Amino acid sequence: MIDEKNARKLIVEVGRLLYERSYVVASDGNVSIRLDENRILATPPMTCKGRMSEEMLAVTDMDGKPLTDKKASSELPMHLLIYKERPDVKAVCHAHPPHGTAFAVAGLAIDQPILSEVILTLGCVPLTDYGTPSTNELTEAMKPFVANHNALLMANHGAVAYGADLWQAFDRLETLEHTAKIAILSRALGGATNLPKEAIEKLIDIRERAGYLKADARCQACGYLHETGITCDGEHKVSYPTPARKSSANGSKVSLSREELIELLSEVANLG
Ligand SMILES: [Zn+2]
């Protein structure tokens, strides 16, 4: 468990990085650390993350009630939801990184098997339905996805990542943003090539043996998992809301040979 003094220092440092890397502008974003069972250290409202000082941070209880005279960000309920759903999570990082947020604005998840290391360390990033920031619409939309994922996109808003400490949360946010950027750039070069099923199966085996991600990540909302021999066990199974499961493969072309097309059309004609 991190002590409060170091936690304050770390949030200020990560806030500066978020701003310098353009993951946030103006007063966007918010960061928190779980100090212990009952206390959260969080960034204040309406403050640029690049210009925070340690004494600006708020301490609240697990219901968001302030324990000092400093107020926490109005997005704190998003952080509290994640801490409640995931006792293993000790830090949360929310930002609007431009490439990741472009996916969220386009209505796309980051869920294509295009980069081996992303399958190893992060897995899929689902898109959760839009909810008005700082209301329970937002937290309700995120809730089903929190358990099996370590980063989420929020439609027409931004991204959130979380982990065992603040560096892990930040790294996951950075991987999300980097993946989104590469996916967008690859489109300019003719489109990404997905890894084949066998390669995905090997990567999932490695990530579980190395302890990068646990078996519950087999139950993530990614289309490509269903095309492999990887199965999600009952305990971690979640039925994800369908509208939020829009995949970045949506809109991809289907090609049929002339013979296949004729066969399909004649089948349809026979049905009539
Ligand atoms: Zn936001």
Side-chain angles (χ1 to χ4, degrees):
M1 210 59 91
I2 187 168
D3 67 71
E4 188 179 329
K5 193 167 175 280
N6 285 320
R8 285 179 184 268
K9 232 186 246 168
L10 193 57
I11 289 183
V12 170
E13 186 180 354
V14 165
R16 199 171 296 133
L17 267 176
L18 288 170
Y19 183 69
E20 281 168 4
R21 296 190 59 77
S22 294
Y23 295 175
V24 291
V25 295
S27 60
D28 292 350
N30 30 78
V31 178
S32 71
I33 288 179
R34 186 167 190 171
L35 291 171
D36 52 44
E37 274 300 288
N38 306 311
R39 292 183 313 144
I40 304 289
L41 181 68
T43 50
M46 301 306 290
T47 308
C48 173
K49 303 300 155 310
R51 300 192 294 267
M52 289 186 303
S53 54
E54 288 167 35
E55 71 283 357
M56 288 177 175
L57 305 179
V59 181
T60 77
D61 68 10
M62 295 308 290
D63 297 315
K65 205 174 109 244
L67 299 175
T68 66
D69 60 345
K70 298 286 190 300
K71 256 181 90 177
S73 157
S74 61
E75 292 284 25
L76 191 70
M78 178 205 301
H79 298 238
L80 298 174
L81 166 82
I82 295 168
Y83 293 124
K84 273 182 197 139
E85 297 287 309
R86 291 278 301 270
D88 60 310
V89 165
K90 304 292 180 223
V92 177
C93 207
H94 162 58
H96 307 156
H99 300 88
T101 305
F103 270 72
V105 166
L108 300 173
I110 304 173
D111 64 350
Q112 292 304 298
I114 57 169
L115 288 163
S116 51
E117 295 204 4
V118 175
I119 296 177
L120 284 179
T121 60
L122 184 67
C124 284
V125 182
L127 175 72
T128 67
D129 280 348
Y130 179 75
T132 309
S134 81
T135 69
N136 57 7
E137 273 173 31
L138 180 77
T139 45
E140 282 306 306
M142 290 168 59
K143 200 173 173 182
F145 296 91
V146 175
N148 294 332
H149 303 83
N150 295 308
L152 310 173
L153 290 178
M154 289 164 271
N156 301 88
H157 181 173
V160 63
Y162 34 97
D165 58 48
L166 188 50
W167 285 123
Q168 189 177 47
F170 177 81
D171 289 347
R172 286 173 168 166
L173 186 77
E174 195 162 46
T175 300
L176 173 164
E177 172 62 359
H178 201 232
T179 308
K181 188 174 180 179
I182 292 168
I184 293 167
L185 288 172
S186 71
R187 294 206 172 184
L189 301 175
T193 309
N194 285 346
L195 285 162
K197 155 182 178 295
E198 301 73 37
I200 298 167
E201 288 169 356
K202 276 188 209 160
L203 290 166
I204 289 174
D205 180 53
I206 294 169
R207 83 179 180 193
E208 287 174 9
R209 279 195 286 128
Y212 299 138
L213 288 177
K214 290 198 218 90
D216 50 7
R218 291 170 170 232
C219 303
Q220 291 186 337
C222 355
Y224 67 77
L225 288 173
H226 305 296
E227 289 146 28
T228 64
I230 303 289
T231 49
C232 155
D233 79 36
E235 194 197 334
H236 303 290
K237 212 168 204 142
V238 173
S239 49
Y240 298 109
T242 24
R245 288 202 57 194
K246 199 166 165 187
S247 150
S248 55
N250 280 11
S252 60
K253 283 184 205 145
V254 173
S255 58
L256 294 174
S257 68
R258 190 166 180 272
E259 288 70 28
E260 284 168 333
L261 183 63
I262 291 169
E263 196 184 325
L264 185 67
L265 289 174
S266 52
E267 267 177 38
V268 172
N270 286 339
L271 284 175

